[in-house]
Amino acid sequence: MTPRRSAIDIWNWLGVLLSVGFPALVYFGRNRLSAQVLALVLILIIWLRKKIAFGMRPSPWLVVGGLLLALLALGQDDVLPLKLYPVLVNGALLAIFAGSLWYPPPVAERIARVGYPDLPTEIVTYTRKVTQAWCVFFGANALTALWTAVWGSDDVWFYYNGVIAYLLAGLMFAGEWFLRRRVLRTLGW
């Protein structure tokens, strides 16, 4: 690995860690740091993720939306715009997954083809349904994140967006992976 590649990986991982930890940073930092400082962290996250994001560039809507939320938090010195960031992320993921249904291959098929480049027709059909299920998940997650940000307490917002949403996504991902492997085995793969 070249020194430049290593530096890129470090910055990318820093962006990933800050993104995943952003709800915790807002929750635990809201009484110690101003919303303006937290908004600057969001801008850093967007810059890191925009510059290097595992070979995929994030949606321009996610970048613009994230910057808009950060600017609102900066101008108002209020954490509410920052608490809306998970809504934006889930909305962007919903758009990516839904868009892949109209412009194939669906996201779940792309992921499945990493391990199995020559997927049988049954699995291609299955991955389309999985992508639809992820669309439902991201839509429901975005709505729940919105509810927690606007009407929930800070504790409810943090526990849902910083813990429960990640656990649900992990369970869905793991469950789908095991199910896909089982379906592949029944097809003789």
Side-chain angles (χ1 to χ4, degrees):
M1 184 179 300
T2 66
R4 172 133 170 84
R5 175 79 176 149
S6 179
I8 289 172
D9 289 343
I10 290 169
W11 288 115
N12 189 48
W13 280 108
L14 177 61
V16 169
L17 291 173
L18 285 172
S19 293
V20 170
F22 191 66
L25 182 63
V26 170
Y27 180 74
F28 293 109
R30 74 192 189 286
N31 294 326
R32 294 173 183 83
L33 304 169
S34 71
Q36 295 166 327
V37 170
L38 296 169
L40 293 174
V41 173
L42 180 55
I43 291 170
L44 176 64
I45 290 168
I46 293 164
W47 182 78
L48 288 171
R49 299 307 314 238
K50 181 182 184 307
K51 196 162 176 83
I52 11 180
F54 296 117
M56 291 177 51
R57 297 186 92 79
S59 158
W61 297 108
L62 179 60
V63 172
V64 170
L67 289 174
L68 179 62
L69 291 175
L71 290 175
L72 285 170
L74 275 169
Q76 298 173 351
D77 195 20
D78 185 11
V79 295
L80 178 60
L82 302 175
K83 289 169 66 175
L84 293 172
Y85 188 64
V87 179
L88 181 66
V89 170
N90 280 283
L93 289 168
L94 172 59
I96 290 166
F97 277 67
S100 76
L101 293 169
W102 278 279
Y103 300 102
V107 172
E109 181 182 337
R110 293 176 200 176
I111 293 169
R113 284 191 186 279
V114 170
Y116 303 92
D118 300 319
L119 290 175
T121 306
E122 296 88 351
I123 296 297
V124 171
T125 303
Y126 164 80
T127 58
R128 182 169 185 77
K129 291 176 184 173
V130 168
T131 300
Q132 291 168 341
W134 276 106
C135 288
V136 171
F137 175 83
F138 290 128
N141 209 31
L143 290 174
T144 306
L146 177 63
W147 185 90
T148 63
V150 176
W151 294 287
S153 67
D154 286 343
D155 290 343
V156 167
W157 176 82
F158 167 68
Y159 286 114
Y160 183 77
N161 293 285
V163 179
I164 295 169
Y166 290 130
L167 290 173
L168 291 173
L171 284 171
M172 186 161 168
F173 183 83
E176 188 283 318
W177 185 80
F178 284 116
L179 183 60
R180 181 176 1 116
R181 295 189 59 83
R182 184 174 168 199
V183 170
L184 283 166
R185 273 196 309 273
T186 62
L187 293 172
W189 281 70

